[in-house]
Amino acid sequence: MSKLVMSLDQQCAKWEIEPEFTFTDDERDNLQEALSRTTISPYREYNAFVSQVKEIIRQRRIPQRFVDFVATLASRDRDLEPVVCIKNGPYDRDVPPFDFENPVESKYELKKTFVAEAMLSLFAQLCGTPAIGYVNVNDGDVFQDIYPKKAMADTQSQKALREIHFHKDLANHFVRPDQVYMVGMRSDPVNEVYTSFVRNIDVWARFDEDELALLRKPEFHTPFDDLTVVGDKKLGEADRHPVLGELGDLRYFENRTRGLTDQASALLEKLNDVLHSQKCRLFIEPGDFVVTYNNHTIHAKEVVKVGNEETLKQRWIIKTVNVDSVARHLHHFVDGTEYLVNG
């Protein structure tokens, strides 16, 4: 379980992430078999796919121990424990590597089963946290890939080959997700590639009241993320914003967010130092299911060591971004949908 490890002087807390639930092999195999019955492509008929997952839930094909665990997350203190790590879960095995030039199109051709997507949808339905998509991201796909693409290898997007600096997902978008759910699909342990997290509370504890007051002011600017702006929907210029949001969330993208005054810029330099001093690294393996509460933590992709450049190009995580409720976002959705953001 995520925990606090106190130093000798009790002044500094070090956060660690440990697995909170591990499927037995029998539980995993039984759930894998149930999820394998989802035959409709979520990339072509999303609503019909979700209906198939609902039927699996209705038929009680899910290990009760897992259902009971998921139910405990409703009362979780997201500030203290903003990451959940689940091990040995079901996923699609033996999927061939995708084309580095066009990995999304390649996935459509090569991936014939939808176990990971069903697992993501199943979890969202159990938690009551619907997944959403964006028209500018993979043509509105709800299920997105953290998978390198040659043309975007040097960007700060989920298609990057190497590091992605600390960020909150869609930090300055008009529809910001409350959760990010991830299923590990492929990772070569000779490549030390980590998803690193920092709790918001560990950040704010290192700023005084005057600094926090400035961070609450709209004296910062973050361009729309690299992946969002390549779509057909033109978003215009991103608004000025505070770094410290009303709910204590951290609206920030390292090396992209900039201060609009000298004082604001100086605070961002301190923020970067704090983030790197407080980070906790997680190596996501195949079958890992990871939950990130997007308003309570900030994360990064860190490439510490590359032992095989070719398998680095094949590292793969499938993710969704989810909200606690779609009601407050409906006016941003494409007409006739309850999941697709028009931007």
Side-chain angles (χ1 to χ4, degrees):
M1 179 176 290
S2 304
K3 61 183 181 180
L4 295 177
V5 181
M6 302 304 293
S7 65
L8 291 176
D9 62 4
Q10 300 293 294
Q11 297 300 307
C12 180
K14 179 62 177 177
W15 177 47
E16 295 181 354
I17 303 171
E18 296 180 353
E20 299 186 44
F21 184 93
T22 301
F23 285 96
T24 67
D25 288 350
D26 283 346
E27 288 173 333
R28 178 203 61 209
D29 292 345
N30 289 336
L31 184 55
Q32 176 111 11
E33 192 277 331
L35 299 179
S36 296
R37 299 189 178 196
T38 51
T39 56
I40 297 173
S41 169
Y43 305 102
R44 295 187 178 90
E45 299 180 66
Y46 175 71
N47 288 325
F49 174 81
V50 171
S51 294
Q52 283 196 321
V53 177
K54 287 180 179 178
E55 183 62 16
I56 294 170
I57 296 173
R58 190 190 68 79
Q59 293 176 356
R60 300 179 183 270
R61 300 291 306 278
I62 313 158
Q64 188 59 46
R65 197 170 66 90
F66 182 61
V67 174
D68 294 341
F69 168 73
V70 173
T72 69
L73 300 180
S75 59
R76 187 181 188 87
D77 187 329
R78 296 180 179 183
D79 285 329
L80 286 176
E81 299 182 304
V83 177
V84 183
C85 181
I86 297 167
K87 303 288 287 186
N88 199 37
Y91 69 102
D92 308 82
R93 300 170 183 271
D94 303 320
V95 179
F98 302 147
D99 179 16
F100 187 39
E101 300 272 353
N102 294 294
V104 175
E105 293 81 357
S106 182
K107 179 185 68 174
Y108 297 153
E109 296 176 4
L110 295 173
K111 192 172 188 294
K112 305 301 184 182
T113 60
F114 309 109
V115 173
E117 293 91 339
M119 183 65 184
L120 287 159
S121 182
L122 171 75
F123 192 89
Q125 292 183 47
L126 291 176
C127 291
T129 52
I132 58 175
Y134 297 78
V135 296
N136 274 8
V137 180
N138 296 353
D139 294 323
D141 285 347
V142 171
F143 302 100
Q144 304 172 28
D145 302 303
I146 301 173
Y147 197 109
K149 178 178 181 178
K150 184 176 181 180
M152 302 187 75
D154 296 325
T155 65
Q156 286 292 290
S157 77
Q158 62 195 28
K159 307 302 183 190
L161 179 60
R162 295 187 181 272
E163 291 80 9
I164 305 173
H165 302 306
F166 274 106
H167 63 285
K168 166 183 171 174
D169 269 30
L170 297 145
N172 203 28
H173 199 282
F174 45 83
V175 177
R176 296 184 293 277
D178 300 305
Q179 297 90 15
V180 180
Y181 297 152
M182 296 179 280
V183 173
M185 299 295 290
R186 186 164 47 235
S187 56
D188 187 342
V190 304
N191 298 320
E192 294 184 29
V193 182
Y194 300 95
T195 306
S196 298
F197 301 92
V198 180
R199 299 184 306 179
N200 289 2
I201 58 173
D202 292 330
V203 174
W204 306 135
R206 285 154 179 81
F207 289 85
D208 63 34
E209 288 302 321
D210 289 340
E211 291 171 325
L212 292 173
L214 178 54
L215 289 167
R216 291 188 182 97
K217 295 180 179 179
E219 296 190 7
F220 305 88
H221 179 264
T222 306
F224 290 121
D225 67 88
D226 288 339
L227 195 60
T228 301
V229 297
V230 299
D232 294 332
K233 176 72 175 182
K234 302 305 179 185
L235 301 181
E237 181 61 39
D239 293 336
R240 297 160 60 122
H241 64 91
V243 164
L244 174 52
E246 294 179 0
L247 302 178
D249 55 312
L250 182 53
R251 295 179 57 183
Y252 183 65
F253 202 129
E254 182 184 10
N255 294 341
R256 289 175 63 83
T257 302
R258 62 186 180 90
L260 301 179
T261 66
D262 289 343
Q263 192 176 9
S265 297
L267 272 185
L268 295 188
E269 292 183 17
K270 177 178 177 178
L271 176 56
N272 287 341
D273 290 340
V274 169
L275 291 173
H276 286 275
S277 71
Q278 297 302 308
K279 64 190 176 189
C280 178
R281 287 173 172 163
L282 182 65
F283 185 86
I284 298 179
E285 299 180 296
D288 286 356
F289 192 104
V290 179
V291 174
T292 308
Y293 293 108
N294 197 42
N295 295 318
H296 303 265
T297 185
I298 189 167
H299 61 280
K301 172 188 170 188
E302 292 192 286
V303 181
V304 176
K305 178 183 177 182
V306 177
N308 187 322
E309 189 76 26
E310 194 59 32
T311 58
L312 181 66
K313 296 176 183 177
Q314 300 167 10
R315 180 179 181 266
W316 181 25
I317 294 169
I318 296 184
K319 77 170 189 178
T320 57
V321 296
N322 299 63
V323 292
D324 289 326
S325 170
V326 297
R328 61 192 173 96
H329 302 302
L330 286 175
H331 61 290
H332 289 303
F333 286 3
V334 173
D335 289 344
T337 76
E338 293 186 352
Y339 70 90
L340 186 56
V341 178
N342 192 18

